């Protein structure tokens, strides 16, 4: 699977998790409606999409991080 399609799938799955039709991967997690409880779900989605993820604890994101940045971290830490 190529990198862009993983970002697309991440965006689709996060939108589904939040019961939205679409979320912009360049908006921050706070802007798209993720809160601290959703972060656990986001990590689970990432573990499925990026199976070579070494250590989920090494990831760093907060309400100011975008899904595009999450995708970059997943690729970098795989």
């Amino acid at each position: 699977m190529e990198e862009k399609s993983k970002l697309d799938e991440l965006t689709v799955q996060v939108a589904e998790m939040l019961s939205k039709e679409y979320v912009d991967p360049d908006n921050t997690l706070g802007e798209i409606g993720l809160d601290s409880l959703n972060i656990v779900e986001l990590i689970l989605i990432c573990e499925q999409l990026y199976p070579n993820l070494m250590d989920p604890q090494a990831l760093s994101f907060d309400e100011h991080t975008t899904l595009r940045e999450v995708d970059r971290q997943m690729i970098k830490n795989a």
Side-chain angles (χ1 to χ4, degrees):
M1 189 180 269
E2 71 180 57
E3 293 172 19
K4 182 165 177 25
S5 63
K6 284 188 180 183
L7 175 59
D8 290 343
E9 184 61 26
L10 176 63
T11 302
V12 166
Q13 288 195 27
V14 169
E16 287 175 2
M17 175 183 69
L18 297 171
S19 300
K20 295 184 176 188
E21 287 186 34
Y22 173 78
V23 294
D24 186 334
D26 294 311
N27 284 350
T28 66
L29 300 180
E31 289 173 330
I32 63 175
L34 252 72
D35 59 25
S36 59
L37 297 175
N38 297 123
I39 294 298
V40 173
E41 291 178 79
L42 176 60
I43 291 170
L44 293 173
I45 290 169
C46 290
E47 287 176 338
Q48 290 177 343
L49 290 176
Y50 306 88
N52 297 327
L53 182 61
M54 298 298 186
D55 181 13
Q57 303 302 322
L59 302 174
S60 173
F61 42 84
D62 59 23
E63 70 273 6
H64 303 293
T65 306
T66 66
L67 289 178
R68 190 173 305 280
E69 291 167 347
V70 170
D71 178 64
R72 285 187 196 126
Q73 283 190 56
M74 297 301 135
I75 293 166
K76 180 180 171 188
N77 288 304

